[in-house]
Amino acid sequence: MEKDEELTKLGLRIKELRKMKNVTQEELAHVIDKDQQSIQRLEAGKINPSFLYLQQIAKGLGMPLSEIFSEP
């Protein structure tokens, strides 16, 4: 897969997990000290998040980092 496809897939997985937890983009952003637009860009596959950013996302959603990379 191309990089853009992988980022889109990652973003969709994060969005899916966030919705499963009934958390809005704004709520997640607040918990991890980011802005809502940053979460929106991440879920849209527009940015390539760092390892630390992904750790923050997982912690903000109350799950292990590995859950983000597991197949649904």
Side-chain angles (χ1 to χ4, degrees):
M1 278 193 202
E2 289 188 31
K3 181 176 91 171
D4 291 344
E5 290 176 40
E6 288 294 332
L7 292 176
T8 298
K9 185 177 172 183
L10 174 62
L12 290 173
R13 176 67 175 153
I14 290 169
K15 182 177 183 176
E16 173 186 46
L17 293 169
R18 178 181 58 75
K19 287 188 172 209
M20 284 174 44
K21 294 282 190 169
N22 293 315
V23 174
T24 66
Q25 287 180 345
E26 192 171 278
E27 290 168 336
L28 179 57
H30 178 74
V31 168
I32 66 170
D33 200 29
K34 299 281 186 187
D35 59 24
Q36 184 267 332
Q37 292 83 4
S38 179
I39 303 298
Q40 185 177 26
R41 288 189 304 272
L42 173 64
E43 289 183 356
K46 303 290 185 197
I47 61 172
N48 187 355
S50 69
F51 174 75
L52 295 176
Y53 190 5
L54 291 175
Q55 278 188 317
Q56 288 177 311
I57 294 287
K59 186 175 181 181
L61 292 174
M63 62 183 55
L65 180 60
S66 60
E67 186 70 23
I68 291 175
F69 299 104
S70 67
E71 292 292 324

